Amino acid sequence: MEYFQPEIDRFKGLTIDSEKIIPLDEKEFEERLLESLAQWKASGYRGVWVKVWSKYASLVPICIKVGFDFHHTQPGYVMLCQWLLDKEPNSLPEYANHYIGVAGFVVNDKNQLLVIQEKFKSSEHWKLPGGHADKGENIYETAIRETYEETGVKCEFDSLLAFRHQHNYRYACSDLYFICVLHPLSEEIRSCPREISKCQWMDLDEYINNPHVSDANKFFAESYKKQQANKMCIRPSRIWNYSKTVKNNIYTIQPLDKSM
Amino acid sequence: MEYFQPEIDRFKGLTIDSEKIIPLDEKEFEERLLESLAQWKASGYRGVWVKVWSKYASLVPICIKVGFDFHHTQPGYVMLCQWLLDKEPNSLPEYANHYIGVAGFVVNDKNQLLVIQEKFKSSEHWKLPGGHADKGENIYETAIRETYEETGVKCEFDSLLAFRHQHNYRYACSDLYFICVLHPLSEEIRSCPREISKCQWMDLDEYINNPHVSDANKFFAESYKKQQANKMCIRPSRIWNYSKTVKNNIYTIQPLDKSM
């Protein structure tokens, strides 16, 4: 136990950090870990986590050998875990399993939509500018950033139009794809040559009828027209968390004509 | 190259699967990998992925040694990656980084809300039943399942009321928390003794004024009242994916009175 200096959590779990272990060679590490696992099991601990930083990667095969499985990684480390209770099913929480993508639905005052074709495309396809959210980024921030990076058009956020939930997206994870209505602050296109092959403003109804537009994108364009007609949209409100340390965005239906 | 039999993707990336490598001892693996990395770099490949299954875990420290970093894991394997282009920033896509939680906002025809207190709570707090989405589960399915598991009340889905986006949730990942309006099919409570300490129907206005209710939950309750007054809600439509092989749920504003 004293070799590993584990942290104990409120779910009766233990976490070992490879950075904080008393230095051991690999053979000693294996022996001590096996001894400790038996002790922890006897003491009623429910699960053990081991965080292995890159420079201690030689510990990974040992952890696997003594019964750990991979849980998640972040740049620089891999986390392994092992469930200790024989009589209860493994209730260690899964890692994050959703990708977040965001598109900018940018309409100018001539009712034209900003559309792109990607350089690494598999077929001709007029898409919306967008991409994956960076860590910690708000949905509307991703929409504004990606639209600018791909098309050179600076925008401000108006509202959330829709979102799509797609399963089996990548590595058996799911994807949530949010469509943000953005107002362009200028119309000049300077598209990214690395990512984008074509970029233009296209009349909204022409877009809906274009054969190289997906059903989903047509649905978004039709939803946009309905939202404009019904004068309702989805927008975030800033609401305190439980401990009142930070405000989070909560998205609900709001009147369209009230500005943000 | 022939030792590793990599798969080539449309982004000029290579993926090596430890299961498909011609057997090599660890020293040979390191030498061949270093040679191949130099060749791939010279040939203009952009990135290399190595999928290491648990039983080949001894390859992990070698991959780290020759410049790979961890990308993600799933039970049974760890994926490592390395960006090859010196002149361009790393554009290998990040792994999924969002947790999905779902709550059931269950209102009976006496305008009472189904509320719970958790057993492992840190303070007295009337919450909505709910939990994390299982892999591949739709939002409304999670709401119905978790509400039933925690309270014993069977429900059907009405609409999506709101969602909250919270950063720095767990392991520096973010969380999306969706609130689903559900209709109870019965009112008898049989709450889960392992997870729930209290469960009851509470008058909606009493809930909004209760001191043991978070600002977020009050906001959801007030949004529910507005949604009922405005007769608009958020509901999914089933729309084909690009290749028309599967329909996905796209959530947009819909009239409240049309049933699902």
Side-chain angles (χ1 to χ4, degrees):
Chain A
M1 187 85 168
E2 70 272 26
Y3 294 95
F4 299 113
Q5 306 187 54
E7 280 189 23
I8 300 171
D9 62 46
R10 67 188 167 108
F11 303 102
K12 298 202 80 179
L14 300 165
T15 302
I16 299 165
D17 186 330
S18 59
E19 197 68 81
K20 294 177 188 160
I21 295 172
I22 290 169
L24 298 168
D25 70 26
E26 284 151 30
K27 192 163 164 291
E28 284 173 326
F29 177 81
E30 182 178 335
E31 287 168 6
R32 300 292 184 213
L33 189 53
L34 275 170
E35 282 167 24
S36 297
L37 283 168
Q39 282 172 24
W40 294 329
K41 217 164 164 169
S43 308
Y45 288 104
R46 299 163 64 84
V48 183
W49 304 81
V50 185
K51 186 176 190 173
V52 181
W53 294 94
S54 301
K55 63 174 166 174
Y56 305 108
S58 62
L59 303 183
V60 172
I62 302 168
C63 291
I64 294 290
K65 191 175 164 193
V66 303
F68 284 83
D69 196 357
F70 301 116
H71 183 264
H72 75 271
T73 71
Q74 301 255 349
Y77 79 81
V78 59
M79 182 78 88
L80 299 104
C81 63
Q82 181 168 175
W83 180 245
L84 296 181
L85 299 188
D86 296 327
K87 290 178 192 161
E88 272 185 41
N90 182 342
S91 67
L92 297 175
E94 263 189 53
Y95 189 63
N97 59 20
H98 272 69
Y99 286 86
I100 302 297
V102 185
F105 194 96
V106 188
V107 183
N108 66 16
D109 46 20
K110 294 187 279 294
N111 218 29
Q112 294 170 319
L113 180 66
L114 183 62
V115 295
I116 57 140
Q117 290 198 15
E118 286 173 342
K119 204 173 154 192
F120 294 103
K121 62 175 183 276
S122 44
S123 63
E124 172 134 339
H125 183 192
W126 286 108
K127 296 178 82 168
L128 304 173
H132 282 110
D134 285 343
K135 224 163 223 177
E137 204 172 31
N138 289 308
I139 291 163
Y140 45 87
E141 292 167 336
T142 310
I144 290 170
R145 177 181 57 72
E146 285 280 352
T147 298
Y148 182 67
E149 286 174 10
E150 292 188 355
T151 70
V153 177
K154 282 208 172 168
C155 294
E156 60 185 15
F157 175 67
D158 178 85
S159 57
L160 178 67
L161 178 61
F163 68 89
R164 180 187 65 196
H165 198 189
Q166 187 182 356
H167 300 301
N168 298 310
Y169 171 70
R170 195 183 277 175
Y171 304 125
C173 292
S174 299
D175 178 67
L176 281 161
Y177 179 55
F178 293 91
I179 313 302
C180 291
V181 176
L182 304 180
H183 290 305
L185 299 173
S186 64
E187 296 198 11
E188 194 196 344
I189 288 168
R190 287 194 212 117
S191 63
C192 170
R194 273 189 293 112
E195 288 188 72
I196 305 299
S197 65
K198 292 183 192 172
C199 181
Q200 66 170 75
W201 294 97
M202 189 183 284
D203 183 82
L204 198 62
D205 286 318
E206 188 188 330
Y207 186 74
I208 290 172
N209 294 310
N210 190 298
H212 303 299
V213 171
S214 68
D215 284 4
N217 282 352
K218 285 179 196 200
F219 183 83
F220 298 142
E222 279 159 358
S223 299
Y224 173 78
K225 290 172 76 176
K226 278 188 205 159
Q227 177 170 301
Q228 294 298 108
N230 292 332
K231 303 280 178 207
M232 298 300 267
C233 67
I234 302 167
R235 285 201 181 119
S237 302
R238 305 281 295 164
I239 306 291
W240 283 115
N241 68 352
Y242 190 63
S243 51
K244 309 231 190 220
T245 49
V246 70
K247 285 186 176 180
N248 295 309
N249 286 312
I250 296 183
Y251 294 77
T252 50
I253 298 177
Q254 311 271 346
L256 183 65
D257 47 6
K258 276 193 199 158
S259 69
M260 281 284 292
Chain B
M1 187 86 167
E2 69 272 26
Y3 294 96
F4 298 115
Q5 308 188 54
E7 280 189 20
I8 299 172
D9 62 46
R10 66 189 168 108
F11 303 102
K12 300 199 79 178
L14 301 165
T15 302
I16 298 165
D17 186 331
S18 59
E19 197 68 81
K20 294 175 188 162
I21 296 173
I22 290 169
L24 297 168
D25 70 27
E26 285 151 29
K27 193 164 163 289
E28 284 172 325
F29 177 81
E30 182 178 337
E31 286 168 6
R32 300 291 187 216
L33 189 54
L34 275 169
E35 281 167 27
S36 298
L37 283 167
Q39 282 172 25
W40 294 329
K41 217 165 164 168
S43 309
Y45 287 105
R46 299 164 63 86
V48 183
W49 304 82
V50 185
K51 186 175 190 173
V52 182
W53 295 93
S54 301
K55 63 175 166 173
Y56 305 107
S58 63
L59 304 182
V60 171
I62 302 168
C63 291
I64 294 290
K65 191 175 165 193
V66 303
F68 284 83
D69 196 358
F70 300 116
H71 184 265
H72 75 270
T73 71
Q74 301 254 349
Y77 79 82
V78 59
M79 182 77 89
L80 298 104
C81 63
Q82 181 168 176
W83 180 244
L84 296 180
L85 299 189
D86 296 325
K87 289 177 191 161
E88 272 186 38
N90 182 343
S91 66
L92 297 176
E94 264 189 52
Y95 188 63
N97 60 20
H98 272 69
Y99 287 86
I100 303 297
V102 185
F105 194 96
V106 188
V107 183
N108 66 15
D109 47 20
K110 295 187 278 293
N111 218 30
Q112 294 171 319
L113 180 66
L114 183 62
V115 295
I116 57 140
Q117 290 199 16
E118 286 173 340
K119 206 173 152 191
F120 291 102
K121 64 176 183 276
S122 43
S123 65
E124 172 133 342
H125 183 192
W126 286 108
K127 298 178 82 168
L128 305 173
H132 282 109
D134 286 342
K135 223 164 222 175
E137 202 172 35
N138 289 309
I139 292 163
Y140 45 87
E141 291 167 338
T142 311
I144 290 169
R145 177 181 56 73
E146 285 281 351
T147 298
Y148 182 68
E149 286 173 10
E150 292 189 355
T151 71
V153 177
K154 283 208 170 167
C155 294
E156 59 184 16
F157 176 67
D158 178 86
S159 57
L160 178 67
L161 179 60
F163 68 89
R164 181 186 65 194
H165 197 190
Q166 187 182 356
H167 300 302
N168 297 310
Y169 173 70
R170 197 183 277 175
Y171 302 124
C173 291
S174 299
D175 178 67
L176 281 162
Y177 179 54
F178 293 91
I179 313 302
C180 291
V181 176
L182 304 180
H183 291 306
L185 298 173
S186 63
E187 296 199 11
E188 194 197 343
I189 288 167
R190 287 196 214 116
S191 63
C192 170
R194 271 190 295 111
E195 287 189 69
I196 305 298
S197 66
K198 292 182 191 174
C199 181
Q200 66 170 75
W201 294 97
M202 189 184 285
D203 182 83
L204 198 62
D205 286 316
E206 189 189 328
Y207 186 73
I208 290 171
N209 294 310
N210 191 299
H212 302 299
V213 172
S214 69
D215 285 4
N217 282 351
K218 285 179 195 199
F219 183 83
F220 298 141
E222 280 159 357
S223 299
Y224 173 78
K225 290 173 75 176
K226 279 188 204 159
Q227 176 168 305
Q228 294 298 108
N230 292 334
K231 302 280 176 206
M232 299 298 267
C233 66
I234 303 167
R235 285 201 182 120
S237 301
R238 305 281 295 164
I239 306 292
W240 282 114
N241 68 351
Y242 190 62
S243 50
K244 310 226 189 222
T245 49
V246 70
K247 285 186 176 180
N248 295 308
N249 286 313
I250 297 184
Y251 294 77
T252 51
I253 299 177
Q254 310 271 349
L256 183 65
D257 46 7
K258 277 192 199 158
S259 70
M260 281 286 290

